[in-house]
Structure formats: structure tokens, C-alpha cells
Amino acid sequence: MNEPAPEFNSHRGADVSRMIVLYVAALSIALLLASTLIVLVTDASPLEVSEALYRGSFSSPSAIGFTIEQATPILIVALGSLIASRSGLFNIGPEGQFAVGTAAGGLVMFQMGGPPAVVLPLTLVAAGLGGAAWAGIAAFLKAVRGVDVVITTLLLNFVAIQVVSFCVNRYWLLQERTGGRIDPPQSPLVGESYRLPRLGSPTGFNVHTGFLLALVLAAAVWYAVSQTRWGFRLRMLGFNPLAARAAGVNLVVLGGGALVLSGAFAGLAGGVFFTATGFRVTSGVLNYGYEGLLVALISRGRVAAIVPIAIAFGALRSGGGYLGATGVPRYMVDIVQALIVLAALMPPVIADRMARARTMRVIRSAARVRESAPAVPS
Amino acid sequence: MDTPGADAPTRDQPDHAEALSMRGITKRFGTTVACDAVDFDVRSGEIHGLLGQNGAGKSTLMKVLTGLLTPDAGSVLLRGQPVVVHDPLAAASLGIGMVHQHFSIVEALTVWENVALGDRAKIDKRRAIAETEELSERYGLDVDPRAVVRDLSAGQRQRVELLKCLRRDPSLLILDEPTSVLTLQESAELFRILRSTVKQEDRAVVLISHKLDEILASTDRVTIMRDGSVVARMDTADADAPTLANEMVGRPVALERLAGALGLVDVAAARDAGDGDAGHDFDRGTSPPVLQVVEARVHADDGRPLLNGLSLEVRAGEILGLAGVEGNGQAALAAVLHSLVELDSGSVSVEGTEIRTGRAGAMMDAGVAVVPADRHAAGCVLEMSVAENLVLDNLGSVSRGHRVSRQLTLDNARRLMEEFDIRASSPDSLMGALSGGNQQRVVLARALSRSPKLLVADQPSHGLDVGAVAYVAEMLRDAADDGMAVLLISAELEEVLSLSDRIAVIHRGEIMGVLEPSEFDSETIALMMGGQRA
Ligand SMILES: Nc1ncnc2c1ncn2[C@@H]1O[C@H](COP(=O)(O)OP(=O)(O)OP(=O)(O)O)[C@@H](O)[C@H]1O
Ligand SMILES: [Mg+2]
């Protein structure tokens, strides 16, 4: 609704330029480290590596389309995480909610017959509901037992992986019958006509409609959190639960609701991935949930920032994939990505450290002043 | 007064008279100039009063001194030595201690833990408790070291803040409205002790307070600020209340207003004389009860009773004053009426309808508005704007359907800011950027603007400057005359006596009795506060 007035909470206004310097420095160091590592492990040069990253992510219309495709689930997850964090509850379980959403979508997709126009939307709805239900467990435990949401959502991630793994190992649930001797733990492939439609030319720029859905959701989330009574109350709850309670905000209903909604977003992200990119339910960890969470963290709660950051993460994935294709091992790609995420998260931490170090210097010099100051006559 | 800043004393010749001198301190927030080239001197061995209206820049100046804020210009000399104070830790190591206007203690910890917090060495529980006890005895600040802060009243928390700071034995002690929720006797005692230690040990104290009588009684010199600048410095001996008030405001202040705020005249008597048979819209004697509390019981986490079968009635059109020693259940009662606490047994009814306690917003919906004693706890949201804070519990009035209308929110804010003289650079300023007194005005404005059936005002004048105290007293009076029921909770007997139509006395979570105006008598009330029934 308004820009924060200058100076509140951050009493050192000159810090803006320092933060910019820190961000640039952190990213440069990350890139430097990454390239050094790559040079050590493979014999590619850093230049080749960055070129590969660029080629895979932004160099051509089709690369851009691929980047956006990768960014879409991350973006949807991040929007949900933003809702939860606005209410003061920290949902760190999008990965699990994503997985459960994928499985729930898969059940509808493969168990329910019918034309695509019916099955596809229902698949997405089921995915959202699956994620919501998974987050709902945490909301329920919080409401009745006061169990910390951070802990439950985190632990439920691991349970979710087991649940999905169970599903893709049972023929009566999701597992595909290939007719071979051993069937892999995965679902059948989604039929062509049951996939999310794609826009653009098949060889040039093309994106699936899930991205449009994500953009619509971004607009809706922006509107809901910044313009509506619900968003107002959500912020009140996040900032000051006591004042919110006195003003009629019910933590269980509003906070629990926000948590469930964020789960729904993560689940929907799973559904979109499943029907637009992955086409199968597998028991692997895809990391879209964790990355969405990171995007929400880095954006610090601003919807406008979430979209570009999610796309940047998508670019790391698409560029990383390309890099992998050039012979750089997959784990190196992950390391590069982790370094960049760290670089994006470190500057606030470093700034804090620097402030502390300065304090210690002042204390030491103050001690010297005190010692040298003559005793005070009474 | 000589200015050591002009020829700063060197290390060889420190100027002992000036414990502190601040030179040309300027601090801007956006377009607001909170401190404008302020010179401020404190001598060793003195208690120095710092006065000014709400938003004059007092807290800002002191935050610069303790390193919470970095000044845009100016320098600080401590005992003649130039110092740069980057943050509170550095200030502490220089012997500067500050008790802030707003609480900074940890609710979940016990009193002794809070007092010992920040110690570098290993904390020895027994010793810390003994030390806390000894300190509270020495300074006459009575509080149980083992109590958990969450269960304490505003006044008790204030004592913890003081103890925590005093324990460090600061050579320069800054007190930013330390007594706003203490009783007069308590603060008098505190300053008596401070005065002697300050003299003996050659320390210095800066006291910010809106209570002019307190300033007059306990300071040696005063500095008065207005709109970010120092407008006067004087020896307290040469000052009286009207002089101070006039300097603060910049024009002569109507005397009876001032006198009312200072508790110098009996407002109740003056009012009855003035009103005479003009009469109220409500005949208070027969008007129906708006609030009925019956046999209310609430327990603290550790099982201590906070409300112990309390019964109380507030009628339409009256101000019922709740007198009592701090910590006798006032906070619990206010929390119940704020929907923050559920009763263990008993009931609360508003206009005859029983209200479920502890259910979010139930009291609000029933027409109860609360001005809490600690405005930062449940009274406002510091991270949201002033305009938003003015509609926290009244969103419907500025919404169209589900959408909060920015225009309506701003209109409402401008109107209330004007009416309650809330000084903020804009309605979009963050609540946390307002001065303490202006935050209090926001909380009051919101409560009164809803035209509640019952207004619970817990220390309503907490942090207000002299003019605003008088204004709020008038507002409460007018609201009651228009038929609102007002429950006034205050640590100051004077305030209760001067404003109330009836006075209920609370002791250990029970009402000892309710007095009619003819029975208002400090001595009777004091006895009842000590546990004697009427
Ligand atoms: N962090 C901040 N950000 C922006 N403006 C601020 C901030 N802190 C204070 N101000 C502004 O500076 C001015 C002086 O505020 P300050 O808190 O020093 O007043 P004060 O004299 O302590 O008043 P009070 O008696 O109400 O406590 C006010 O106009 C206030 O709005
Ligand atoms: Mg102040």
C-alpha cells in the first residue's frame, strides 16, 4: 500500500550503496569460484562455461522458452511461500507439497477416464488440493497442538517423498505396466492431448500455458495481499499477532488458511510441471519446491521481485542443462547453482557481520579512552 | 554557560563540569528534521531534564547519543573527550545507559534473566537473583526477580527496564519517560535515590518526562526543545510549571488546561460546579450497565490468580476509575476486555449479552474499544502505516466489498490526524517512525473514532505531552457525557480522582468496593488499595 518511510528499522541509510557493492561482489566471487572449480574438474574454460550457460538460457527464442518453462513451477511455489510468510508462518515444505500435488494430479489423470477438457483441469485442481492437504497437516498440528510449523513442514517433506514413492510402486495406484520384467517406479506418460497446450512455434519460442497461469496467479497474489481486506489482515497477523487478535484476526483460520493456500500453490506447481514438462510422476526429488522457497526468500516478500528472480532461477536450470550437455558433470551444475544462490543470500549476512566488527572496534577504542581519561574528582 | 565545543578541551585539560556535551547535532528523517543543530550539555552530578512536546526530537537526540541513530551532523564529547558512538554496545562500554520509552525486555524470560541478559560472563542464577533483589531494594523498585515478564503489568515491566539499566552502573543514565506508568510515590522515591547517588558518585542523569511536577521536583537544570531545536535552557530553581509549558508550546498555555493536566486542581469538582444543572444526557445513577463482569477468574501460567472472582459494572455515560496498586489484576482485566485472554470462570456481558472471552475480535464486535497500557504489544502494528493503524480494527469503514479503499483510508487518516493533532510526515509514514506520544495519539484516535459502547482506557495518557493529556481528559469526559461507558485504568490516583464519576478499587484481582463521588477520599482509597474492603 505504501513504500516504507526511509530510515525506519534500518538506521543507517547509507547502507543502500554498500548493499549494492556487496551483491555485486558476492555474485562475482560466486562466479569466480564456480569457474575455478569447473576449470579444475573439467578442462573447459570459464568463458566457455558462461557461454554455455547463456546459450542454454537466453541465446535463442527456444532457449528463452525453455527457461520460462523451468521458471514456471518455481514461480508458482514462490507465490505461495510469499502468502505464508506474510502471515508470519514459515512454510518450508513446498517440496513435499509439490510432490504430493504431482501424485494427486497423477491419480486423477490416470485413474479417471474422460475427455482432456475435463481431466486436465481436474488434474490441476487435484494437484492443488493435494498440496493443500499436505500443508493442512502442518496447519492442523499447529492449531490443535501448537506444533511449530517450520518443523512439521520440513519433516513432512521427507514423508511426502515416501508417499509418492509408495504410489509409483503400486500398479493399482500409479505405477506403469510396461510389460517388461521389471517396471521402473514411475507412472505412465501423460497422453499428448492431455498435456497443457503450448503457445508459439514448435521450433522457435514456445511456452506452455502454465506460464500464463503463473502470471495470472502472480497478479492475483499481488492484488490479494496488497489491496484486499484479507491481505491487510494477513499482514497484521504477520507483523503483530496480538494486535491482530484483538482486531478479530483468528490465527487458526487466517494463518492456517494462508499455510494451506501456500500448500495449494506448491501442489499446483507440481500439477503444472507434471502436465507441461515432466509428463510422469516419479519418486525423485525435483527441487522446484526448495527453489521456489529460495526465490520467495530472496525477493523479501515483493511480488514484483518474485517474477524476475524466478526466471533467473529458471535460466540457471536451462543453462545448467545445456552446460551438462557439453560434458560438465551434473553435480558441477548443481554446485554452480548453489554458489549463485548463496551469493544472492549472503549480502545481508555480511552487512550484519561488518556492523558487528565495527562495533567491536569502537568498544576497544572506547576502552582505551576510558583508561586514558583521568579519574573524576568528586 | 560556557561551551566547551567552541574550544574543545584537550586530553590534558578535560572539562570535568561537562559530563556530556553534544554539539550541533542534526538528524533528518526524509524531509523531517527531528534534531536541528542541537547543542546539549549535561554536567557531572546533575539530573538534567529534557522537555518538549510530542515529536520535539527528544528521543531522537538521545538515540543519537546511544548510537541507535547516526547523526547527519554534529559531535559528541564525553567528559571532554570526543567520541563516536556507533551503536548501543559501544555506548554501554562508554558508560552510557538508556532506559527507552518503549520496552525492550524479553517477555518469555524471567525478571532476573532479563536483568542479567547481555552479561559476557557466565550467568550464575543465584547471584543474579540476589543482585536483582538488592538492586530493587536499593532503588525502591519492587519486583519479584523470579516472575516471568509476560505476566507482569506495564508498571512492573518499567521497573525491570530500570533495574536492567541501573545494574550496569552507567555514569551517564538516560531515562526516556521512565515513570509514565509508575505511581507518583514510586517515581519520587526513585528520583530521591538517584539524586543522592548522582551527587555522591558524580554521575549524570538525563530525564525525559512530560510530568512537569516530576521535572520540577527532581532535576537541577532543564533543556527545552521545540520542533527539533533547543528553545530554552534554565536552572530548575528558576522555573515553574507555566514557564516550562509555555516554552514547550511556544505560546501561553491556558492555565486551567495545564492545571488539569498537572492534577493541580480538582477537575471533578470544577466540572460539577461548572456543569451544575446543565445536566448530562445520561442520568448516570439509573443508566443501564454497559459492561458487567461477574465473578471473573483468570490464572497466570504458573497458577497464580490474576483475577480472583472480580465483579464490576460500568454504566453508560460514566467514567469508572479503576484504582489500585499496579499488578493487582488491572492488566489481566484489560486483556480480557481486549479478547486476548480467556476467563477460567465467570462472565463478561456487554449490554446484557454475554460475550465469549478469549475469542479473537469478540469484544471488538460487541462494541468494546481498548487503549492498552503497552501500545506496542497489542495497540498498533509498527511495520504498517499510520493510516493503516488508524483502521486496524475498523477495516469495514474504509472498504468497498473486499477491497480496502486507499482513498477512504487516507481520508480517514487525515481527518483523525487533524482532530488528534497526530504529527507524522504523512499518513503513509510507518507507525514505528512516529514519536512515542504520537503513537499513543494514533491508538487513542482509533479507539475513540469507532464510537464504542465501552472504552477501556489503560493509562491513556501514557507518553502524552501536557497539552495532549488535557485534551484526552476532555475527550473522555465528552464521550462519557454522550453516553459512552468508560473504564479508566490508571496507576495515578490523581488522574483517577480527577476524571472519574465512580471509583472501583482493585486488590489482588478483586474489587474491594466502589466509591461514589461523595466518598472520594485519598485515604479511604489507599486503605482499600491495601486490601481493606469498603
Ligand atoms: N525512525 C524514524 N523514522 C522517521 N521519522 C522519525 C523516526 N524517529 C523519529 N522520527 C520523527 O522525528 C520526530 C522526533 O521524534 P522523537 O521520537 O524524537 O520525538 P520525542 O520528542 O521523543 O516525542 P515524544 O514525547 O512523543 O516521545 C518526529 O516527527 C518523528 O516522527
Ligand atoms: Mg520520545
Side-chain angles (χ1 to χ4, degrees):
Chain A
M1 184 158 188
N2 59 289
E3 287 301 308
E7 291 268 351
F8 173 63
N9 267 347
S10 73
H11 39 85
R12 292 193 181 83
D15 276 0
V16 177
S17 50
R18 178 181 308 142
M19 287 309 281
I20 293 175
V21 172
L22 278 177
Y23 271 110
V24 171
L27 281 172
S28 318
I29 293 175
L31 288 177
L32 195 76
L33 265 178
S35 18
T36 321
L37 267 177
I38 288 166
V39 175
L40 287 180
V41 174
T42 67
D43 357 292
S45 78
L47 207 69
E48 281 167 341
V49 169
S50 36
E51 199 197 321
L53 276 177
Y54 169 73
R55 264 176 192 275
S57 56
F58 291 118
S59 67
S60 66
S62 70
I64 294 175
F66 190 51
T67 293
I68 289 179
E69 171 148 353
Q70 291 295 318
T72 301
I74 300 177
L75 174 56
I76 299 177
V77 169
L79 291 170
S81 300
L82 177 139
I83 292 174
S85 64
R86 282 259 166 147
S87 77
L89 294 177
F90 200 41
N91 172 13
I92 53 173
E95 190 64 39
Q97 292 143 16
F98 181 99
V100 171
T102 313
L107 283 172
V108 168
M109 176 67 77
F110 301 120
Q111 302 278 6
M112 200 184 99
V118 175
V119 174
L120 183 54
L122 282 182
T123 299
L124 294 181
V125 169
L129 288 178
W134 206 246
I137 300 175
F140 176 77
L141 288 173
K142 168 81 183 169
V144 298
R145 306 248 64 161
V147 188
D148 189 58
V149 167
V150 170
I151 294 175
T152 42
T153 51
L154 174 69
L155 294 182
L156 279 168
N157 281 337
F158 306 114
V159 184
I161 305 307
Q162 297 307 315
V163 169
V164 174
S165 168
F166 178 87
C167 291
V168 293
N169 278 297
R170 299 295 180 286
Y171 293 118
W172 55 277
L173 285 171
L174 280 174
Q175 194 170 21
E176 178 181 29
R177 285 179 200 277
T178 57
R181 261 218 287 177
I182 301 169
D183 286 327
Q186 62 181 23
S187 76
L189 206 61
V190 177
E192 291 279 352
S193 55
Y194 287 85
R195 299 178 180 178
L196 271 177
R198 303 192 74 92
L199 308 168
S201 72
T203 52
F205 175 79
N206 73 88
V207 289
H208 58 75
T209 38
F211 181 61
L212 300 186
L213 176 65
L215 288 184
V216 169
L217 287 176
V221 167
W222 172 82
Y223 178 80
V225 297
S226 67
Q227 305 291 308
T228 66
R229 291 168 74 158
W230 177 77
F232 188 108
R233 293 154 73 85
L234 201 62
R235 275 191 297 147
M236 213 195 312
L237 178 62
F239 287 133
N240 187 342
L242 266 189
R245 179 165 175 187
V249 175
N250 188 322
L251 173 74
V252 171
V253 175
L254 193 74
L259 187 58
V260 168
L261 191 59
S262 77
F265 271 74
L268 177 65
V272 166
F273 170 79
F274 167 60
T275 53
T277 310
F279 305 130
R280 278 187 205 279
V281 181
T282 61
S283 61
V285 175
L286 295 160
N287 281 334
Y288 286 108
Y290 287 121
E291 285 179 29
L293 191 59
L294 283 174
V295 169
L297 261 185
I298 297 173
S299 76
R300 294 185 167 199
R302 284 167 312 218
V303 180
I306 280 191
V307 178
I309 298 175
I311 290 179
F313 270 66
L316 275 177
R317 277 182 169 256
S318 56
Y322 191 89
L323 189 62
T326 63
V328 175
R330 180 69 223 177
Y331 67 86
M332 278 308 302
V333 178
D334 288 342
I335 291 176
V336 171
Q337 196 175 339
L339 280 170
I340 291 176
V341 170
L342 270 180
L345 289 173
M346 278 314 274
V349 181
I350 298 171
D352 189 49
R353 284 271 133 194
M354 283 165 68
R356 271 175 212 220
R358 199 174 45 214
T359 305
M360 291 318 292
R361 273 202 305 282
V362 174
I363 291 179
R364 273 184 228 113
S365 68
R368 278 198 296 278
V369 170
R370 260 195 155 178
E371 280 158 22
S372 63
V376 185
S378 18
Chain B
M1 184 170 49
D2 46 6
T3 49
D7 54 348
T10 58
R11 258 164 201 251
D12 314 316
Q13 301 167 305
D15 182 347
H16 297 309
E18 304 290 355
L20 162 76
S21 43
M22 300 178 80
R23 290 278 154 267
I25 301 289
T26 297
K27 178 68 191 176
R28 291 185 204 88
F29 296 104
T31 52
T32 315
V33 188
C35 291
D36 189 2
V38 172
D39 291 345
F40 181 63
D41 299 280
V42 179
R43 294 184 193 143
S44 282
E46 78 169 348
I47 299 185
H48 193 109
L50 181 56
L51 273 80
Q53 283 180 289
N54 291 137
K58 309 176 295 288
S59 299
T60 304
L61 185 67
M62 291 301 108
K63 283 181 189 163
V64 164
L65 179 56
T66 51
L68 274 171
L69 294 169
T70 314
D72 300 317
S75 57
V76 178
L77 293 109
L78 218 52
R79 296 187 189 280
Q81 309 273 347
V83 290
V84 181
V85 188
H86 277 295
D87 58 27
L89 273 178
S93 71
L94 286 166
I96 304 174
M98 177 158 175
V99 174
H100 286 276
Q101 191 168 4
H102 297 110
F103 297 142
S104 56
I105 45 181
V106 185
E107 292 217 342
L109 298 183
T110 60
V111 170
W112 73 262
E113 283 167 329
N114 265 290
V115 171
L117 205 67
D119 280 9
R120 287 298 166 89
K122 194 164 165 286
I123 294 174
D124 172 357
K125 175 173 172 181
R126 205 170 305 152
R127 235 187 63 209
I129 291 180
E131 255 180 16
T132 309
E133 264 165 357
E134 190 223 315
L135 266 178
S136 67
E137 186 142 332
R138 176 164 165 218
Y139 288 100
L141 296 165
D142 183 30
V143 60
D144 174 10
R146 287 177 195 81
V148 178
V149 169
R150 195 190 306 114
D151 298 331
L152 298 184
S153 68
Q156 290 165 321
R157 287 177 194 209
Q158 185 69 72
R159 286 170 226 165
V160 180
E161 291 278 357
L162 281 161
L163 290 176
K164 186 179 158 190
C165 186
L166 289 166
R167 196 182 97 114
R168 305 268 132 82
D169 269 343
S171 53
L172 176 61
L173 175 62
I174 303 160
L175 303 172
D176 194 349
E177 300 187 26
T179 57
S180 46
V181 287
L182 295 187
T183 61
L184 277 181
Q185 300 86 302
E186 229 176 348
S187 60
E189 174 70 3
L190 173 67
F191 286 113
R192 196 180 58 71
I193 297 152
L194 273 183
R195 169 166 288 282
S196 64
T197 50
V198 162
K199 284 258 151 30
Q200 282 158 21
E201 300 172 24
D202 215 31
R203 304 195 208 175
V205 175
V206 177
L207 169 65
I208 301 178
S209 173
H210 292 296
K211 298 181 181 174
L212 298 185
D213 42 2
E214 185 173 279
I215 293 280
L216 287 170
S218 40
T219 64
D220 300 297
R221 292 193 304 151
V222 290
T223 297
I224 301 176
M225 290 180 73
R226 191 194 315 146
D227 292 334
S229 307
V230 172
V231 290
R233 300 183 175 86
M234 58 184 91
D235 286 337
T236 311
D238 304 336
D240 55 12
T243 327
L244 296 179
N246 292 349
E247 288 290 358
M248 276 162 57
V249 182
R251 59 184 151 73
V253 183
L255 249 181
E256 62 275 28
R257 260 197 151 203
L258 179 65
L262 289 172
L264 296 181
V265 292
D266 186 349
V267 181
R271 181 186 71 234
D272 286 346
D275 267 18
D277 42 16
H280 303 289
D281 301 357
F282 275 78
D283 181 358
R284 279 188 282 271
T286 59
S287 63
V290 172
L291 173 73
Q292 277 174 298
V293 180
V294 181
E295 284 289 312
R297 283 176 204 282
V298 173
H299 292 270
D301 290 347
D302 61 9
R304 269 179 315 117
L306 296 174
L307 294 184
N308 196 9
L310 177 139
S311 298
L312 187 71
E313 262 187 26
V314 188
R315 300 188 203 128
E318 76 167 350
I319 300 181
L320 178 77
L322 188 64
V325 178
E326 263 280 337
N328 271 282
Q330 295 97 325
L333 179 61
V336 167
L337 296 174
H338 212 182
S339 293
L340 297 175
V341 165
E342 193 179 344
L343 289 184
D344 295 337
S345 68
S347 71
V348 174
S349 311
V350 175
E351 289 194 328
T353 314
E354 184 167 341
I355 311 296
R356 214 171 113 186
T357 55
R359 180 206 194 126
M363 292 293 166
M364 178 194 85
D365 292 337
V368 180
V370 179
V371 176
D374 179 1
R375 54 183 165 254
H376 282 186
C380 64
V381 182
L382 293 172
E383 296 87 348
M384 289 168 80
S385 75
V386 172
E388 289 173 318
N389 269 279
L390 283 166
V391 293
L392 280 190
D393 54 2
N394 203 8
L395 263 187
S397 70
V398 294
S399 301
R400 296 212 172 89
H402 281 294
R403 195 190 158 126
V404 179
S405 157
R406 176 162 164 78
Q407 196 53 51
L408 292 180
T409 310
L410 287 181
D411 290 347
N412 174 70
R414 294 213 178 87
R415 186 171 55 77
L416 291 176
M417 285 170 75
E418 163 92 39
E419 188 180 340
F420 287 82
D421 194 20
I422 298 166
R423 307 259 172 93
S425 42
S426 94
D428 285 334
S429 304
L430 285 189
M431 188 71 173
L434 259 57
S435 81
N438 281 300
Q439 288 173 0
Q440 184 71 7
R441 289 168 197 226
V442 170
V443 176
L444 277 162
R446 184 180 67 229
L448 282 164
S449 71
R450 283 183 55 214
S451 321
K453 293 175 187 149
L454 169 72
L455 176 71
V456 180
D458 195 354
Q459 324 286 353
S461 49
H462 179 183
L464 297 180
D465 62 32
V466 171
V469 170
Y471 182 62
V472 167
E474 258 168 52
M475 294 281 306
L476 292 183
R477 191 66 262 161
D478 291 349
D481 288 345
D482 289 342
M484 192 188 289
V486 179
L487 175 60
L488 171 70
I489 306 175
S490 175
E492 277 178 58
L493 190 51
E494 292 71 15
E495 189 172 37
V496 173
L497 275 171
S498 69
L499 278 173
S500 310
D501 296 307
R502 294 190 302 151
I503 294 179
V505 184
I506 190 171
H507 174 74
R508 301 222 173 125
E510 275 181 274
I511 298 295
M512 293 290 110
V514 181
L515 303 175
E516 297 292 332
S518 58
E519 305 163 298
F520 285 10
D521 163 42
S522 310
E523 221 160 288
T524 319
I525 297 177
L527 282 177
M528 289 166 75
M529 280 163 65
Q532 200 172 91
R533 284 181 192 276

